[in-house]
């Protein structure tokens, strides 16, 4: 008993690879010049099956042969010209066996039936099985039933002609088995090609889906960056504008207050510039390996005090208090809370204006975190903004951030002022973004 070892299998790897590459090159060449393969098939059939009959015009199955009597078959000896004509009728239709397989099969079958009706036997009769194989491989499947019926009838004629030497049933069994093998081979190769085409199509779709997922990820990242920029620019510009207005008013009555406002404007601008550089860094294409980070990390709850101080400097009185273990929150939750508070105070400063009062409360209880920002409204009732109830991009951004943690944001009037309330779920969830 012979065993195949691992070394034998490993040695077959390069051979299989070379054969695969050779087959691929042949397929490419066939797609470029399909007539070459069709002509090669015709030439090969002629050399193997037609030329011997032409060289030996007296066939081996002729009734005058020297074999035993029970193996002799009464067949017609054809002239060389007639034999060549029948061979041409059997072989030449194979030139279009792939472009028009049904036509090629019909032509070969017609010549095959004519030849056996004359009582002649040719080695080129093998073309009937080649045409049937080509029809199963390249033709329409609904054409196969009638092709099988025609083939069975033609082979029945052959079995009847050779019945003097071979039993009709034995001859039919042999001939129909050969036809079945040709038909099955064509169908197997057809199914295999369809499977490979399906795999290639699936691979192409997966590649397209991968590219689409990449583009969606880029779009999501750009949306996140745009939201960060809205929070940074909107808040800091509101503070700067308020400080600039206060400084312009204080120039005439209290120059020292105007100087303080200018310093605060510079500090706020530098802070905004630093945050913008950090956020826009994700859009910069680095040529080499990333350098060590030089900018501050993402803001958290510890930075809310500084945020409130900046808002107070702009004229908004902020009272900030916390409840629960807020220091134990992870960095993602802290960033979300910071941005929501930043946007809420920016809206308060924008709509209520300097001189108003805002109460900020952050409470953690079990797996729930609540953020509440209440303002007292404008000091002068006549100056209440007409757009207080409109929802801008800031409120949409706050809701998107809260949705990352299964939460929601509500905003609406509360007496003369406005209240923003955010509720987050801190329970661990798969896929919760930070």
């Amino acid at each position: 008993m012979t065993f195949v070892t691992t070394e034998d299998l490993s040695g077959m790897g390069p051979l299989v690879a070379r054969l695969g590459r050779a087959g691929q090159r042949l397929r490419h060449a066939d797609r470029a010049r399909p007539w070459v393969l069709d002509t090669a098939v015709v030439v090969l059939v002629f050399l193997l099956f037609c030329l011997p009959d032409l060289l030996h015009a007296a066939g081996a199955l002729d009734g005058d042969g020297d074999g035993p009597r029970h193996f002799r078959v009464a067949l017609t000896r054809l002239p060389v010209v007639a034999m060549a004509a029948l061979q041409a009728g059997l072989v030449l239709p194979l030139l279009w066996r792939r472009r028009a397989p049904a036509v090629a099969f019909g032509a070969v079958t017609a010549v095959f039936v004519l030849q056996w009706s004359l009582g002649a036997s040719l080695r080129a009769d093998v073309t009937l099985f080649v045409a049937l194989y080509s029809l199963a491989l390249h033709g329409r499947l609904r054409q196969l039933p009638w092709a099988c019926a025609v083939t069975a009838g033609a082979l029945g004629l052959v079995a009847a002609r050779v019945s003097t030497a071979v039993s009709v049933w034995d001859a039919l069994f042999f001939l129909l088995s050969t036809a079945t093998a040709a038909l099955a081979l064509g169908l197997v190769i057809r199914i295999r090609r369809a499977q490979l085409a399906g795999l290639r199509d699936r691979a192409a779709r997966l590649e397209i889906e991968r590219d689409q997922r990449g583009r969606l990820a880029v779009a999501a990242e750009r949306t996140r960056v745009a939201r960060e920029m809205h929070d940074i620019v909107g808040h800091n510009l509101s503070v700067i504008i308020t400080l600039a207005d206060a400084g312009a008013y204080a120039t005439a009555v209290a120059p020292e207050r105007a100087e303080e406002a200018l310093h605060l404007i510079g500090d706020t601008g530098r802070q905004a510039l630093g945050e913008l550089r950090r956020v826009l860094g994700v859009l910069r294409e680095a040529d080499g390996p990333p350098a060590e980070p030089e900018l501050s990390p993402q803001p958290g709850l510890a930075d809310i005090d500084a945020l409130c101080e900046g808002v107070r400097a702009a004229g908004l009185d902020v009272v900030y208090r916390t409840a629960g273990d807020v220091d134990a929150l992870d960095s993602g939750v802290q960033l979300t809370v910071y941005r929501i508070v930043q946007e809420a105070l920016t809206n308060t400063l924008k709509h209520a204006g300097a001189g108003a009062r805002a109460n900020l409360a952050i409470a953690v209880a079990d797996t729930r975190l609540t953020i509440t920002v209440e303002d007292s409204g404008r000091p002068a009732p006549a100056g209440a903004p007409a757009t207080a109830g409109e929802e801008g991009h800031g409120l949409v951004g706050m809701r998107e951030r809260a949705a990352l943690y299964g939460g929601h944001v509500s905003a609406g009037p509360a007496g003369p002022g406005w209240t923003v309330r955010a509720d987050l779920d801190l329970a661990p969830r798969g896929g919760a973004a930070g």
Side-chain angles (χ1 to χ4, degrees):
M1 182 179 294
T2 302
F3 295 94
V4 179
T5 63
T6 305
E7 290 77 6
D8 297 331
L9 292 177
S10 61
M12 294 175 62
L15 177 60
V16 173
R18 286 195 295 270
L19 290 176
R21 288 192 294 270
Q24 188 175 8
R25 286 194 294 269
L26 288 176
R27 286 192 293 270
H28 289 317
D30 183 49
R31 282 194 291 267
R33 298 178 179 86
W35 58 269
V36 175
L37 179 59
D38 295 334
T39 305
V41 170
V42 171
V43 172
L44 183 63
V45 170
F46 173 79
L47 294 177
L48 293 179
F49 301 102
C50 297
L51 190 58
D53 282 341
L54 293 175
L55 295 178
H56 305 280
L61 296 177
D62 186 67
D64 297 332
D66 298 330
R69 185 174 184 83
H70 59 278
F71 285 116
R72 297 178 185 176
V73 180
L75 297 175
T76 303
R77 179 183 297 179
L78 295 174
V80 176
V81 176
M83 181 184 299
L86 289 175
Q87 289 177 345
L90 290 171
V91 175
L92 291 180
L94 297 182
L95 288 172
W96 60 85
R97 65 184 182 87
R98 293 190 293 178
R99 288 169 293 176
V103 176
F105 175 80
V108 170
T109 305
V111 176
F112 181 88
V113 171
L114 174 62
Q115 169 210 318
W116 281 97
S117 298
L118 296 176
S121 173
L122 297 175
R123 290 182 176 90
D125 291 338
V126 72
T127 56
L128 178 66
F129 304 114
V130 177
L132 181 62
Y133 158 82
S134 300
L135 181 63
L137 178 59
H138 303 290
R140 299 177 182 178
L141 294 179
R142 65 172 180 266
Q143 296 172 341
L144 290 181
W146 66 261
C148 293
V150 171
T151 302
L155 296 181
L157 176 61
V158 176
R161 281 290 185 179
V162 299
S163 60
T164 57
V166 182
S167 169
V168 174
W169 298 111
D170 292 341
L172 279 177
F173 175 78
F174 173 76
L175 294 173
L176 292 179
S177 297
T178 306
T180 302
L183 181 66
L185 180 61
L187 291 176
V188 168
I189 296 178
R190 182 187 189 121
I191 293 173
R192 180 59 177 168
R193 288 183 179 179
Q195 290 175 342
L196 292 177
L199 290 177
R200 285 192 293 268
D201 182 65
R202 183 171 181 269
R205 289 200 306 270
L206 290 176
E207 185 175 357
I208 294 174
E209 291 176 1
R210 182 197 61 189
D211 296 339
Q212 289 177 344
R213 285 195 298 268
R215 288 192 291 268
L216 289 175
V218 171
E221 181 64 15
R222 291 183 179 275
T223 301
R224 185 190 68 81
V225 172
R227 188 167 60 236
E228 292 282 336
M229 291 183 63
H230 173 271
D231 294 340
I232 295 170
V233 175
H235 168 74
N236 289 286
L237 283 182
S238 297
V239 173
I240 289 173
I241 291 172
T242 303
L243 290 173
D245 290 341
Y249 174 77
T251 300
V253 295
E256 67 280 359
R257 299 287 294 176
E259 182 180 357
E260 181 182 357
L262 291 176
H263 286 302
L264 291 173
I265 289 174
D267 294 339
T268 304
R270 281 187 289 272
Q271 179 185 357
L273 182 60
E275 293 189 13
L276 282 176
R277 284 175 177 171
R278 171 176 49 77
V279 172
L280 293 177
V282 301
L283 300 179
R284 188 178 299 114
E285 296 181 357
D287 296 331
E292 292 295 328
E294 300 178 355
L295 302 176
S296 60
Q298 294 276 22
L301 291 181
D303 300 293
I304 293 183
D305 289 325
L307 177 66
C308 293
E309 288 297 329
V311 175
R312 291 189 189 105
L316 181 65
D317 185 15
V318 180
V319 177
Y320 171 44
R321 61 183 182 273
T322 61
D325 190 7
V326 295
D327 295 330
L329 299 176
D330 62 66
S331 58
V333 176
Q334 292 193 30
L335 174 62
T336 298
V337 172
Y338 181 89
R339 292 306 185 197
I340 292 176
V341 170
Q342 184 184 50
E343 182 63 31
L345 293 179
T346 300
N347 290 339
T348 300
L349 184 63
K350 183 188 303 182
H351 296 296
R357 179 184 179 88
N359 294 318
L360 168 61
I362 300 176
V364 178
D366 296 330
T367 59
R368 308 300 300 183
L369 184 146
T370 304
I371 307 169
T372 305
V373 180
E374 300 176 338
D375 66 73
S376 59
R378 285 185 179 272
T387 61
E390 295 180 358
E391 295 188 3
H393 295 289
L395 186 56
V396 174
M398 285 191 287
R399 286 174 173 165
E400 290 180 353
R401 292 183 183 277
L404 295 177
Y405 293 92
H408 61 277
V409 176
S410 60
W418 191 265
T419 298
V420 175
R421 180 183 176 87
D423 190 15
L424 307 182
D425 183 7
L426 304 181
R429 294 187 309 147

